[in-house]
Amino acid sequence: MARTPSITLQQLLYFIEVAAEGSISAAADLLYVSQPTMSAAMKDLESRVGRTLFLRSARGVTLTDDGAEFLGYARQVTEQVALLEQRYLGRPPSRRLLGVSAQHYSFVVEAFVRMVKGSDAAEYEFSLRETRTWDIIEDVRTLRSELGILYRNEFNRNVIDKLLRDSGLAFHPLFLADPHIFISRKNPLAARDHVTLDDLAELPRLTFDQGANNSFYFAEEILSTLSSPQEIRVSDRATIFNLMIGLDGYTISTGIISDDLDPEIVAIPLDIDERIEIGWIGHSAIPLTEQAQRYLAELRAVVAGFGVELLG
């Protein structure tokens, strides 16, 4: 009886690098092997698994759906091998690559800082992308990032959940938050113990730009359908905080903000009958790597430190 050829660890390492670079030749250069050798290794791997893992074009390669799923398992295997070598062969810790894509939350950054500081690797490679809602979902779908962090509520839940299902992803709740406004400490409203929508009528509303997918359902802020006489869209947290200080603008978010990372900004409760559900998204059929689990543990610890009750 013919024996099915095994997948080699080297092929998995090659595959992970090709997926990360989006190019067989770039991965070959990075790993100091010839382009024909790398190309042959990928064709042999696809032959062994009996599935097309890459779509090839003049611009490079992209993962197929089967390839994205295979990448998740390949990362699991190589991570476990690295841990074995570290424990039993005395090799240094691996670089422990992890990618996270998120909406613009300071607690996401604080947890990331804790994770990196807690790493015992002499060298490491992580990525943190604060980006648009659509791009977060696309990053996780294509495994550019292993985890995504975003919010949903009654308004956008059906649209977000359908998009996640269609992408083979699942939403995992982390916590529920009461809406707050973020404003400068110098803003006259900063002395209030709560504010109403009427209090905000004369202030510039600051929102994160969603680019071509600028649907109300992908807005990062609740109440996105309400009109505002003064509205400014921005693309990053540094800009939005500068506009809070310079223009007395506001944005609506979770109320969780780090004094260490954002000392000039305060959170004031907003009197509305809404809740914000924050959660992480990942592939439904792919288990998380240990590094991703470490990050989620740090994320939960940061949120719990603000007295917020965790879900799940």
Side-chain angles (χ1 to χ4, degrees), residues 46-288:
E46 289 178 312
S47 176
R48 294 187 187 201
V49 301
R51 301 182 187 188
T52 301
L53 303 177
F54 291 114
L55 295 176
R56 294 160 172 83
S57 71
R59 292 179 296 177
V61 298
T62 56
L63 290 170
T64 63
D65 289 342
D66 285 333
E69 182 176 358
F70 187 84
L71 178 60
Y73 288 106
R75 285 174 170 169
Q76 290 279 330
V77 171
T78 56
E79 183 180 62
Q80 292 302 312
V81 170
L83 291 173
L84 282 171
E85 291 179 340
Q86 177 186 340
R87 180 173 179 85
Y88 296 106
L89 301 181
R91 294 187 179 177
S94 68
R95 295 174 66 87
R96 298 185 180 178
L97 174 65
L98 173 69
V100 177
S101 294
Q103 291 174 334
H104 301 76
Y105 301 123
S106 62
F107 58 84
V108 168
V109 179
E110 186 169 344
F112 202 85
V113 169
R114 291 190 185 187
M115 179 195 68
V116 173
K117 286 184 174 180
S119 172
D120 55 356
E123 298 180 3
Y124 53 74
E125 184 178 347
F126 300 115
S127 68
L128 174 59
R129 281 170 41 83
E130 287 190 332
T131 189
R132 299 161 176 166
T133 303
W134 177 276
D135 291 335
I136 293 169
I137 296 171
E138 188 66 8
D139 281 354
V140 179
R141 185 188 71 81
T142 60
L143 283 172
R144 178 179 186 180
S145 292
E146 186 173 353
L147 297 175
I149 311 294
L150 48 75
Y151 101 93
R152 67 182 184 183
N153 68 350
E154 290 304 317
F155 174 71
N156 70 3
R157 180 186 304 272
N158 289 339
V159 172
I160 294 295
D161 285 355
K162 182 180 186 305
L163 182 57
L164 293 177
R165 285 195 305 272
D166 291 346
S167 300
L169 308 178
F171 182 95
H172 305 268
L174 284 168
F175 65 93
L176 287 173
D178 294 316
H180 287 61
I181 61 165
F182 285 173
I183 54 175
S184 164
R185 289 186 182 276
K186 298 178 181 179
N187 190 302
L189 294 178
R192 302 275 293 273
D193 58 5
H194 68 279
V195 296
T196 66
L197 291 175
D198 289 340
D199 295 326
L200 306 176
E202 302 302 319
L203 299 182
R205 182 171 71 179
L206 310 175
T207 61
F208 285 106
D209 178 65
Q210 296 298 319
N213 298 291
N214 198 29
S215 163
F216 289 131
Y217 296 107
F218 297 129
E220 191 165 324
E221 306 81 15
I222 64 172
L223 307 179
S224 58
T225 58
L226 294 183
S227 62
S228 174
Q230 302 173 13
E231 180 154 357
I232 302 174
R233 293 177 182 169
V234 303
S235 60
D236 62 89
R237 279 195 307 127
T239 300
I240 208 169
F241 288 163
N242 286 338
L243 293 177
M244 289 176 195
I245 296 170
L247 293 177
D248 279 339
Y250 75 93
T251 193
I252 302 174
S253 193
T254 63
I256 301 177
I257 193 164
S258 170
D259 289 337
D260 292 334
L261 297 178
D262 310 304
E264 301 302 318
I265 307 301
V266 296
I268 309 297
L270 177 62
D271 279 350
I272 55 172
D273 187 22
E274 292 269 0
R275 302 296 300 280
I276 301 171
E277 183 182 33
I278 303 293
W280 65 272
I281 63 172
H283 272 266
S284 305
I286 303 176
L288 293 178

